[in-house]
Amino acid sequence: MLEILRDRFRARVQVSLTRAGLSLPWWGALCASAVSFVFTVVALTQRDALLPPEPIALAGLLVIAPSVIWVVTDWIMPWVRMVALIAATVVLLIEPVLPDFAPLLLLVAATEAGSVLRTTWGIAIVTVAGELVLVVAGIWGGLIGGPVYMVAILLGLSGGLMVRWYTRVLDAERDNRDASRDKALLAERQRIAREVHDVVGHSLSITLLHLTGARHALQQDRDVDEAIEALTEAEQVGRAAMADIRRTVGLLADTPSGDAPLPGVEDIATLVERTRVAGLAVRYTQEGDLGRVGASEGLGLYRIVQESLVNVVKHAPGANAEVRLNAGRSGVKLTVSNTLAGAARGTAEDGSGLAGMAVRAAQLGADLSAGPQGRQWIVQVTVPGAKS
């Protein structure tokens, strides 16, 4: 039960601070109230025989009332508490004692003003008011040690200003962290969107090639076996695409959706062969050691080849294509070229294919060029400094 009450009290205090725009921990406000209560009790005890009951009760009420109202009603105005602390000090200093704990309430007020008040003039008013109370009490009330108390108020103000500065730094760090997290989440979503785009685009293009081959086999040649073979290949491509999509979308989940690795540079040969079987006249040439290519570079190059072949199928039907990969000591060079049939393929690039390839190349720190050269469309990627 005590833990439940403690948690409720803590939540209530934190909500009140948030509503007041104070980015302070709940225990900070609790400690400040507790310190002011202790100073008040000691100061009242020192004057038990010097003041009548009415001023003693008034001083205690001035210190306790703002905190009670705050906890009970969730209503908080920081300057009200500071005014109450200054007023309570004025009442108590009607009869100064030695040593006197009453001026320490002014120290608490100055500390709270430096840490929570939003305006410079508000902080200055609280501090100057506290100093004037000490000056008046020293001149006309007989307070001893006034200069020491005045220095203590300035030290309290300095501590409050330090708390304010650290609070602002923590808020700025928290905002930067949130902004970095949002930016990272957006980048991850964009990366996954590109993965899904590449997988779906390639798979649909290859599947359509197989379906076109099956239709031609049935309509023109009446070759059922060839049609069945094409449909079987289309089914396999579709199943593989579904697996790739599940694995890619699974990156959004808290747990992995499977143990199958993402494709790499060594899978480019299989990708080209699958596209060739589907009906695109494409050949693959490989030179160098693929072990020099890292996993991230391999995935990026694989996706660029995938998108390039999809673009050939979409924008240059019937063209001959070639994929050349050279992994050397100085880097990796990838070239995907195809013949241009009819209109230039550049006029058909209205989608996100080239933009996606450009983003992948930028992530790899690679140079990308894509465009017509003579009677060919050439996509060229150079990745410097491949892993050894």
Side-chain angles (χ1 to χ4, degrees):
M1 178 62 68
L2 291 177
E3 292 182 357
I4 295 176
L5 293 176
R6 181 196 63 190
D7 293 340
R8 287 181 178 177
F9 175 78
R10 179 172 61 185
R12 193 179 189 90
V13 172
Q14 195 65 62
V15 168
S16 298
L17 289 171
T18 303
R19 288 179 179 176
L22 304 177
S23 55
L24 295 173
W26 70 274
W27 49 264
L30 184 62
C31 289
S33 299
V35 169
S36 62
F37 293 162
V38 171
F39 289 162
T40 303
V41 170
V42 175
L44 292 175
T45 304
Q46 291 176 323
R47 293 165 172 77
D48 186 33
L50 300 176
L51 288 176
E54 291 80 4
I56 292 179
L58 177 60
L61 182 63
L62 286 171
V63 175
I64 295 174
S67 298
V68 173
I69 294 174
W70 172 27
V71 173
V72 173
T73 65
D74 279 348
W75 177 82
I76 177 174
M77 296 185 70
W79 61 267
V80 172
R81 172 173 161 78
M82 296 165 201
V83 171
L85 289 174
I86 295 174
T89 305
V90 171
V91 174
L92 293 172
L93 288 181
I94 295 175
E95 288 291 342
V97 297
L98 185 68
D100 202 337
F101 271 70
L104 296 181
L105 295 176
L106 300 176
L107 182 151
V108 175
T111 303
E112 292 186 2
S115 59
V116 303
L117 290 185
R118 301 180 182 180
T119 59
T120 303
W121 62 266
I123 298 173
I125 289 176
V126 173
T127 305
V128 172
E131 300 285 9
L132 289 177
V133 169
L134 294 177
V135 170
V136 173
I139 295 176
W140 288 286
L143 176 66
I144 299 175
V148 176
Y149 292 124
M150 294 175 70
V151 173
I153 289 177
L154 295 179
L155 291 176
L157 174 63
S158 299
L161 293 176
M162 290 179 63
V163 171
R164 171 193 293 270
W165 185 83
Y166 279 113
T167 302
R168 288 182 175 179
V169 169
L170 290 175
D171 288 342
E173 182 180 356
R174 188 181 299 112
D175 293 340
N176 290 335
R177 185 176 65 247
D178 293 342
S180 299
R181 181 190 60 195
D182 294 340
K183 184 177 180 180
L185 289 174
L186 178 60
E188 182 66 9
R189 291 192 184 99
Q190 291 175 341
R191 185 184 70 83
I192 293 174
R194 287 192 298 270
E195 293 289 332
V196 173
H197 169 271
D198 293 345
V199 169
V200 172
H202 173 78
S203 302
L204 287 177
S205 298
I206 301 303
T207 301
L208 288 175
L209 283 176
H210 284 299
L211 293 177
T212 301
R215 180 172 58 82
H216 287 168
L218 291 175
Q219 286 183 338
Q220 299 177 3
D221 303 331
R222 306 296 181 179
D223 190 338
V224 177
D225 293 336
E226 183 178 349
I228 292 176
E229 181 180 356
L231 292 175
T232 302
E233 290 289 341
E235 180 184 5
Q236 292 176 353
V237 170
R239 293 184 184 278
M242 289 300 298
D244 286 342
I245 292 172
R246 289 193 188 99
R247 183 171 62 250
T248 303
V249 175
L251 297 175
L252 293 171
D254 295 331
T255 57
S257 60
D259 298 327
L262 291 172
V265 67
E266 64 278 358
D267 298 309
I268 292 178
T270 303
L271 172 66
V272 173
E273 178 61 22
R274 189 167 63 234
T275 307
R276 186 191 63 79
V277 171
L280 178 65
V282 56
R283 60 191 181 94
Y284 177 57
T285 303
Q286 172 189 314
E287 298 178 1
D289 182 11
L290 296 184
R292 299 178 183 276
V293 185
S296 59
E297 290 88 351
L299 175 61
L301 293 172
Y302 179 93
R303 294 305 188 197
I304 290 175
V305 173
Q306 190 177 51
E307 181 63 30
S308 297
L309 294 179
V310 169
N311 288 340
V312 174
V313 173
K314 289 168 56 179
H315 305 301
N320 296 323
E322 181 180 6
V323 178
R324 296 192 302 273
L325 180 65
N326 188 333
R329 292 183 177 274
S330 59
V332 181
K333 183 175 182 180
L334 170 68
T335 303
V336 182
S337 60
N338 65 275
T339 56
L340 290 174
R345 196 176 122 211
T347 61
E349 288 290 345
D350 298 329
S352 59
L354 287 180
M357 286 191 285
V359 171
R360 292 188 181 278
Q363 290 174 343
L364 300 179
D367 296 325
L368 172 76
S369 62
Q373 296 183 18
R375 295 295 300 170
Q376 287 193 324
W377 180 280
I378 298 178
V379 175
Q380 192 171 80
V381 183
T382 303
V383 184
K387 295 182 180 180
S388 58

mmCIF file of all heavy atoms in Angstrom, residues 287-326:
data_model
loop_
_atom_site.group_PDB
_atom_site.id
_atom_site.type_symbol
_atom_site.label_atom_id
_atom_site.label_comp_id
_atom_site.label_asym_id
_atom_site.label_seq_id
_atom_site.Cartn_x
_atom_site.Cartn_y
_atom_site.Cartn_z
ATOM 1 N N GLU A 287 35.035 -11.057 -62.866
ATOM 2 C CA GLU A 287 36.481 -11.067 -62.746
ATOM 3 C C GLU A 287 36.876 -10.660 -61.334
ATOM 4 O O GLU A 287 36.191 -9.860 -60.694
ATOM 5 C CB GLU A 287 37.137 -10.110 -63.756
ATOM 6 C CG GLU A 287 36.880 -10.459 -65.206
ATOM 7 C CD GLU A 287 37.528 -9.448 -66.136
ATOM 8 O OE1 GLU A 287 38.180 -8.519 -65.632
ATOM 9 O OE2 GLU A 287 37.366 -9.585 -67.361
ATOM 10 N N GLY A 288 37.992 -11.210 -60.854
ATOM 11 C CA GLY A 288 38.485 -10.844 -59.539
ATOM 12 C C GLY A 288 37.949 -11.732 -58.438
ATOM 13 O O GLY A 288 37.222 -12.698 -58.664
ATOM 14 N N ASP A 289 38.314 -11.382 -57.210
ATOM 15 C CA ASP A 289 37.959 -12.156 -56.025
ATOM 16 C C ASP A 289 36.758 -11.514 -55.332
ATOM 17 O O ASP A 289 36.856 -10.389 -54.823
ATOM 18 C CB ASP A 289 39.158 -12.210 -55.073
ATOM 19 C CG ASP A 289 38.885 -13.053 -53.832
ATOM 20 O OD1 ASP A 289 37.846 -13.754 -53.820
ATOM 21 O OD2 ASP A 289 39.696 -12.987 -52.897
ATOM 22 N N LEU A 290 35.626 -12.234 -55.302
ATOM 23 C CA LEU A 290 34.428 -11.694 -54.656
ATOM 24 C C LEU A 290 34.583 -11.602 -53.148
ATOM 25 O O LEU A 290 33.800 -10.920 -52.480
ATOM 26 C CB LEU A 290 33.209 -12.564 -54.998
ATOM 27 C CG LEU A 290 32.807 -12.606 -56.477
ATOM 28 C CD1 LEU A 290 31.533 -13.417 -56.646
ATOM 29 C CD2 LEU A 290 32.629 -11.203 -57.038
ATOM 30 N N GLY A 291 35.565 -12.296 -52.602
ATOM 31 C CA GLY A 291 35.813 -12.198 -51.166
ATOM 32 C C GLY A 291 36.251 -10.813 -50.725
ATOM 33 O O GLY A 291 36.205 -10.492 -49.532
ATOM 34 N N ARG A 292 36.657 -9.978 -51.667
ATOM 35 C CA ARG A 292 37.040 -8.608 -51.346
ATOM 36 C C ARG A 292 35.822 -7.716 -51.096
ATOM 37 O O ARG A 292 35.971 -6.607 -50.585
ATOM 38 C CB ARG A 292 37.856 -8.006 -52.493
ATOM 39 C CG ARG A 292 39.147 -8.746 -52.799
ATOM 40 C CD ARG A 292 39.855 -8.093 -53.973
ATOM 41 N NE ARG A 292 41.063 -8.814 -54.343
ATOM 42 C CZ ARG A 292 42.248 -8.647 -53.763
ATOM 43 N NH1 ARG A 292 42.365 -7.763 -52.786
ATOM 44 N NH2 ARG A 292 43.301 -9.352 -54.149
ATOM 45 N N VAL A 293 34.647 -8.193 -51.463
ATOM 46 C CA VAL A 293 33.435 -7.380 -51.359
ATOM 47 C C VAL A 293 32.746 -7.681 -50.034
ATOM 48 O O VAL A 293 32.457 -8.835 -49.719
ATOM 49 C CB VAL A 293 32.480 -7.663 -52.537
ATOM 50 C CG1 VAL A 293 31.280 -6.720 -52.470
ATOM 51 C CG2 VAL A 293 33.211 -7.519 -53.861
ATOM 52 N N GLY A 294 32.498 -6.641 -49.239
ATOM 53 C CA GLY A 294 31.818 -6.820 -47.960
ATOM 54 C C GLY A 294 30.340 -7.109 -48.136
ATOM 55 O O GLY A 294 29.769 -6.992 -49.226
ATOM 56 N N ALA A 295 29.703 -7.462 -47.018
ATOM 57 C CA ALA A 295 28.283 -7.839 -47.066
ATOM 58 C C ALA A 295 27.409 -6.666 -47.495
ATOM 59 O O ALA A 295 26.506 -6.818 -48.324
ATOM 60 C CB ALA A 295 27.845 -8.359 -45.696
ATOM 61 N N SER A 296 27.634 -5.485 -46.932
ATOM 62 C CA SER A 296 26.794 -4.337 -47.282
ATOM 63 C C SER A 296 27.002 -3.923 -48.739
ATOM 64 O O SER A 296 26.040 -3.617 -49.451
ATOM 65 C CB SER A 296 27.104 -3.160 -46.351
ATOM 66 O OG SER A 296 28.466 -2.794 -46.444
ATOM 67 N N GLU A 297 28.277 -3.934 -49.180
ATOM 68 C CA GLU A 297 28.546 -3.614 -50.583
ATOM 69 C C GLU A 297 27.913 -4.641 -51.512
ATOM 70 O O GLU A 297 27.345 -4.301 -52.554
ATOM 71 C CB GLU A 297 30.051 -3.539 -50.844
ATOM 72 C CG GLU A 297 30.745 -2.353 -50.210
ATOM 73 C CD GLU A 297 31.184 -2.669 -48.790
ATOM 74 O OE1 GLU A 297 30.789 -3.737 -48.269
ATOM 75 O OE2 GLU A 297 31.915 -1.851 -48.198
ATOM 76 N N GLY A 298 27.983 -5.914 -51.096
ATOM 77 C CA GLY A 298 27.402 -6.975 -51.919
ATOM 78 C C GLY A 298 25.903 -6.839 -52.067
ATOM 79 O O GLY A 298 25.357 -7.003 -53.170
ATOM 80 N N LEU A 299 25.217 -6.517 -50.954
ATOM 81 C CA LEU A 299 23.768 -6.338 -51.024
ATOM 82 C C LEU A 299 23.413 -5.158 -51.926
ATOM 83 O O LEU A 299 22.497 -5.237 -52.745
ATOM 84 C CB LEU A 299 23.198 -6.129 -49.625
ATOM 85 C CG LEU A 299 21.697 -5.816 -49.554
ATOM 86 C CD1 LEU A 299 20.876 -6.953 -50.145
ATOM 87 C CD2 LEU A 299 21.277 -5.530 -48.112
ATOM 88 N N GLY A 300 24.151 -4.051 -51.776
ATOM 89 C CA GLY A 300 23.877 -2.889 -52.611
ATOM 90 C C GLY A 300 24.081 -3.163 -54.088
ATOM 91 O O GLY A 300 23.254 -2.782 -54.930
ATOM 92 N N LEU A 301 25.172 -3.853 -54.438
ATOM 93 C CA LEU A 301 25.437 -4.180 -55.845
ATOM 94 C C LEU A 301 24.385 -5.146 -56.381
ATOM 95 O O LEU A 301 23.941 -5.028 -57.528
ATOM 96 C CB LEU A 301 26.835 -4.784 -55.981
ATOM 97 C CG LEU A 301 27.999 -3.820 -55.691
ATOM 98 C CD1 LEU A 301 29.317 -4.576 -55.669
ATOM 99 C CD2 LEU A 301 28.051 -2.708 -56.727
ATOM 100 N N TYR A 302 23.984 -6.100 -55.552
ATOM 101 C CA TYR A 302 22.942 -7.054 -55.963
ATOM 102 C C TYR A 302 21.653 -6.314 -56.306
ATOM 103 O O TYR A 302 21.024 -6.563 -57.340
ATOM 104 C CB TYR A 302 22.707 -8.060 -54.844
ATOM 105 C CG TYR A 302 21.630 -9.092 -55.148
ATOM 106 C CD1 TYR A 302 21.950 -10.315 -55.714
ATOM 107 C CD2 TYR A 302 20.291 -8.824 -54.849
ATOM 108 C CE1 TYR A 302 20.957 -11.252 -55.990
ATOM 109 C CE2 TYR A 302 19.300 -9.754 -55.114
ATOM 110 C CZ TYR A 302 19.644 -10.972 -55.688
ATOM 111 O OH TYR A 302 18.658 -11.886 -55.963
ATOM 112 N N ARG A 303 21.253 -5.369 -55.443
ATOM 113 C CA ARG A 303 20.008 -4.640 -55.679
ATOM 114 C C ARG A 303 20.114 -3.752 -56.913
ATOM 115 O O ARG A 303 19.134 -3.564 -57.642
ATOM 116 C CB ARG A 303 19.658 -3.807 -54.447
ATOM 117 C CG ARG A 303 19.318 -4.610 -53.196
ATOM 118 C CD ARG A 303 18.207 -5.600 -53.439
ATOM 119 N NE ARG A 303 17.760 -6.223 -52.197
ATOM 120 C CZ ARG A 303 17.042 -7.324 -52.133
ATOM 121 N NH1 ARG A 303 16.689 -7.944 -53.264
ATOM 122 N NH2 ARG A 303 16.670 -7.829 -50.980
ATOM 123 N N ILE A 304 21.281 -3.191 -57.163
ATOM 124 C CA ILE A 304 21.446 -2.354 -58.347
ATOM 125 C C ILE A 304 21.325 -3.197 -59.615
ATOM 126 O O ILE A 304 20.682 -2.800 -60.592
ATOM 127 C CB ILE A 304 22.799 -1.618 -58.298
ATOM 128 C CG1 ILE A 304 22.769 -0.559 -57.192
ATOM 129 C CG2 ILE A 304 23.121 -0.975 -59.638
ATOM 130 C CD1 ILE A 304 24.090 0.145 -56.980
ATOM 131 N N VAL A 305 21.934 -4.377 -59.616
ATOM 132 C CA VAL A 305 21.786 -5.280 -60.762
ATOM 133 C C VAL A 305 20.328 -5.676 -60.926
ATOM 134 O O VAL A 305 19.783 -5.692 -62.041
ATOM 135 C CB VAL A 305 22.674 -6.526 -60.585
ATOM 136 C CG1 VAL A 305 22.388 -7.545 -61.689
ATOM 137 C CG2 VAL A 305 24.148 -6.146 -60.596
ATOM 138 N N GLN A 306 19.676 -5.984 -59.823
ATOM 139 C CA GLN A 306 18.272 -6.390 -59.857
ATOM 140 C C GLN A 306 17.406 -5.296 -60.469
ATOM 141 O O GLN A 306 16.584 -5.559 -61.365
ATOM 142 C CB GLN A 306 17.812 -6.705 -58.428
ATOM 143 C CG GLN A 306 16.459 -7.373 -58.335
ATOM 144 C CD GLN A 306 16.135 -7.718 -56.892
ATOM 145 O OE1 GLN A 306 16.234 -6.869 -56.009
ATOM 146 N NE2 GLN A 306 15.771 -8.958 -56.644
ATOM 147 N N GLU A 307 17.584 -4.053 -60.005
ATOM 148 C CA GLU A 307 16.792 -2.952 -60.525
ATOM 149 C C GLU A 307 17.126 -2.681 -61.987
ATOM 150 O O GLU A 307 16.240 -2.363 -62.790
ATOM 151 C CB GLU A 307 17.035 -1.697 -59.682
ATOM 152 C CG GLU A 307 16.238 -0.484 -60.114
ATOM 153 C CD GLU A 307 14.739 -0.701 -59.975
ATOM 154 O OE1 GLU A 307 14.318 -1.463 -59.076
ATOM 155 O OE2 GLU A 307 13.987 -0.113 -60.779
ATOM 156 N N SER A 308 18.394 -2.815 -62.353
ATOM 157 C CA SER A 308 18.788 -2.571 -63.741
ATOM 158 C C SER A 308 18.144 -3.576 -64.677
ATOM 159 O O SER A 308 17.647 -3.213 -65.762
ATOM 160 C CB SER A 308 20.314 -2.639 -63.863
ATOM 161 O OG SER A 308 20.936 -1.629 -63.085
ATOM 162 N N LEU A 309 18.122 -4.846 -64.300
ATOM 163 C CA LEU A 309 17.504 -5.865 -65.151
ATOM 164 C C LEU A 309 15.998 -5.665 -65.245
ATOM 165 O O LEU A 309 15.387 -5.898 -66.303
ATOM 166 C CB LEU A 309 17.836 -7.255 -64.614
ATOM 167 C CG LEU A 309 19.319 -7.648 -64.674
ATOM 168 C CD1 LEU A 309 19.527 -9.037 -64.095
ATOM 169 C CD2 LEU A 309 19.851 -7.582 -66.108
ATOM 170 N N VAL A 310 15.378 -5.231 -64.124
ATOM 171 C CA VAL A 310 13.944 -4.924 -64.175
ATOM 172 C C VAL A 310 13.676 -3.804 -65.168
ATOM 173 O O VAL A 310 12.721 -3.847 -65.954
ATOM 174 C CB VAL A 310 13.435 -4.546 -62.767
ATOM 175 C CG1 VAL A 310 12.024 -3.955 -62.846
ATOM 176 C CG2 VAL A 310 13.438 -5.758 -61.855
ATOM 177 N N ASN A 311 14.538 -2.784 -65.155
ATOM 178 C CA ASN A 311 14.363 -1.675 -66.092
ATOM 179 C C ASN A 311 14.533 -2.115 -67.544
ATOM 180 O O ASN A 311 13.862 -1.606 -68.445
ATOM 181 C CB ASN A 311 15.355 -0.558 -65.759
ATOM 182 C CG ASN A 311 14.980 0.183 -64.490
ATOM 183 O OD1 ASN A 311 13.826 0.147 -64.049
ATOM 184 N ND2 ASN A 311 15.949 0.842 -63.885
ATOM 185 N N VAL A 312 15.444 -3.070 -67.772
ATOM 186 C CA VAL A 312 15.612 -3.587 -69.133
ATOM 187 C C VAL A 312 14.330 -4.272 -69.585
ATOM 188 O O VAL A 312 13.841 -4.071 -70.710
ATOM 189 C CB VAL A 312 16.804 -4.556 -69.200
ATOM 190 C CG1 VAL A 312 16.878 -5.208 -70.585
ATOM 191 C CG2 VAL A 312 18.104 -3.830 -68.887
ATOM 192 N N VAL A 313 13.764 -5.105 -68.709
ATOM 193 C CA VAL A 313 12.532 -5.816 -69.059
ATOM 194 C C VAL A 313 11.391 -4.833 -69.311
ATOM 195 O O VAL A 313 10.598 -4.993 -70.241
ATOM 196 C CB VAL A 313 12.165 -6.806 -67.932
ATOM 197 C CG1 VAL A 313 10.798 -7.441 -68.202
ATOM 198 C CG2 VAL A 313 13.236 -7.881 -67.806
ATOM 199 N N LYS A 314 11.308 -3.786 -68.490
ATOM 200 C CA LYS A 314 10.192 -2.844 -68.592
ATOM 201 C C LYS A 314 10.337 -1.894 -69.779
ATOM 202 O O LYS A 314 9.369 -1.610 -70.480
ATOM 203 C CB LYS A 314 10.086 -2.025 -67.296
ATOM 204 C CG LYS A 314 9.593 -2.811 -66.110
ATOM 205 C CD LYS A 314 9.781 -2.036 -64.814
ATOM 206 C CE LYS A 314 9.104 -0.672 -64.861
ATOM 207 N NZ LYS A 314 9.274 0.067 -63.583
ATOM 208 N N HIS A 315 11.552 -1.398 -70.003
ATOM 209 C CA HIS A 315 11.725 -0.284 -70.927
ATOM 210 C C HIS A 315 12.440 -0.635 -72.228
ATOM 211 O O HIS A 315 12.450 0.180 -73.149
ATOM 212 C CB HIS A 315 12.497 0.849 -70.234
ATOM 213 C CG HIS A 315 11.876 1.304 -68.957
ATOM 214 N ND1 HIS A 315 10.592 1.803 -68.882
ATOM 215 C CD2 HIS A 315 12.364 1.324 -67.684
ATOM 216 C CE1 HIS A 315 10.313 2.124 -67.624
ATOM 217 N NE2 HIS A 315 11.367 1.840 -66.878
ATOM 218 N N ALA A 316 13.032 -1.824 -72.283
ATOM 219 C CA ALA A 316 13.713 -2.219 -73.518
ATOM 220 C C ALA A 316 13.406 -3.682 -73.833
ATOM 221 O O ALA A 316 14.309 -4.532 -73.838
ATOM 222 C CB ALA A 316 15.224 -1.990 -73.398
ATOM 223 N N PRO A 317 12.151 -4.008 -74.052
ATOM 224 C CA PRO A 317 11.804 -5.412 -74.340
ATOM 225 C C PRO A 317 12.494 -5.905 -75.608
ATOM 226 O O PRO A 317 12.577 -5.193 -76.610
ATOM 227 C CB PRO A 317 10.279 -5.360 -74.507
ATOM 228 C CG PRO A 317 9.954 -3.932 -74.832
ATOM 229 C CD PRO A 317 10.975 -3.104 -74.126
ATOM 230 N N GLY A 318 13.009 -7.125 -75.506
ATOM 231 C CA GLY A 318 13.696 -7.713 -76.645
ATOM 232 C C GLY A 318 15.152 -7.309 -76.754
ATOM 233 O O GLY A 318 15.841 -7.730 -77.700
ATOM 234 N N ALA A 319 15.659 -6.517 -75.837
ATOM 235 C CA ALA A 319 17.046 -6.058 -75.901
ATOM 236 C C ALA A 319 17.991 -7.145 -75.391
ATOM 237 O O ALA A 319 17.597 -8.059 -74.666
ATOM 238 C CB ALA A 319 17.217 -4.784 -75.077
ATOM 239 N N ASN A 320 19.245 -7.050 -75.777
ATOM 240 C CA ASN A 320 20.304 -7.897 -75.244
ATOM 241 C C ASN A 320 21.005 -7.133 -74.116
ATOM 242 O O ASN A 320 21.283 -5.937 -74.237
ATOM 243 C CB ASN A 320 21.316 -8.254 -76.328
ATOM 244 C CG ASN A 320 20.693 -9.097 -77.437
ATOM 245 O OD1 ASN A 320 19.845 -9.952 -77.170
ATOM 246 N ND2 ASN A 320 21.088 -8.857 -78.676
ATOM 247 N N ALA A 321 21.277 -7.823 -73.007
ATOM 248 C CA ALA A 321 21.870 -7.178 -71.841
ATOM 249 C C ALA A 321 23.121 -7.917 -71.414
ATOM 250 O O ALA A 321 23.315 -9.103 -71.730
ATOM 251 C CB ALA A 321 20.870 -7.129 -70.687
ATOM 252 N N GLU A 322 23.963 -7.217 -70.692
ATOM 253 C CA GLU A 322 25.205 -7.809 -70.189
ATOM 254 C C GLU A 322 25.517 -7.209 -68.823
ATOM 255 O O GLU A 322 25.361 -6.003 -68.600
ATOM 256 C CB GLU A 322 26.365 -7.545 -71.142
ATOM 257 C CG GLU A 322 27.685 -8.173 -70.663
ATOM 258 C CD GLU A 322 28.836 -7.916 -71.615
ATOM 259 O OE1 GLU A 322 28.633 -7.145 -72.587
ATOM 260 O OE2 GLU A 322 29.924 -8.455 -71.375
ATOM 261 N N VAL A 323 25.951 -8.076 -67.905
ATOM 262 C CA VAL A 323 26.357 -7.658 -66.567
ATOM 263 C C VAL A 323 27.825 -8.029 -66.396
ATOM 264 O O VAL A 323 28.196 -9.200 -66.552
ATOM 265 C CB VAL A 323 25.507 -8.337 -65.472
ATOM 266 C CG1 VAL A 323 25.991 -7.919 -64.090
ATOM 267 C CG2 VAL A 323 24.031 -7.996 -65.649
ATOM 268 N N ARG A 324 28.646 -7.026 -66.070
ATOM 269 C CA ARG A 324 30.077 -7.271 -65.869
ATOM 270 C C ARG A 324 30.456 -6.798 -64.461
ATOM 271 O O ARG A 324 30.129 -5.674 -64.053
ATOM 272 C CB ARG A 324 30.902 -6.524 -66.905
ATOM 273 C CG ARG A 324 30.672 -6.980 -68.326
ATOM 274 C CD ARG A 324 31.727 -6.407 -69.288
ATOM 275 N NE ARG A 324 31.747 -4.951 -69.261
ATOM 276 C CZ ARG A 324 30.961 -4.194 -70.012
ATOM 277 N NH1 ARG A 324 30.072 -4.756 -70.838
ATOM 278 N NH2 ARG A 324 31.034 -2.868 -69.947
ATOM 279 N N LEU A 325 31.141 -7.666 -63.729
ATOM 280 C CA LEU A 325 31.562 -7.364 -62.358
ATOM 281 C C LEU A 325 33.049 -7.632 -62.234
ATOM 282 O O LEU A 325 33.522 -8.729 -62.559
ATOM 283 C CB LEU A 325 30.784 -8.223 -61.349
ATOM 284 C CG LEU A 325 31.120 -8.004 -59.873
ATOM 285 C CD1 LEU A 325 30.728 -6.599 -59.436
ATOM 286 C CD2 LEU A 325 30.426 -9.051 -59.001
ATOM 287 N N ASN A 326 33.767 -6.618 -61.763
ATOM 288 C CA ASN A 326 35.215 -6.743 -61.599
ATOM 289 C C ASN A 326 35.570 -6.322 -60.183
ATOM 290 O O ASN A 326 35.410 -5.158 -59.811
ATOM 291 C CB ASN A 326 35.942 -5.862 -62.625
ATOM 292 C CG ASN A 326 37.448 -6.113 -62.628
ATOM 293 O OD1 ASN A 326 38.020 -6.512 -61.637
ATOM 294 N ND2 ASN A 326 38.086 -5.871 -63.771
#
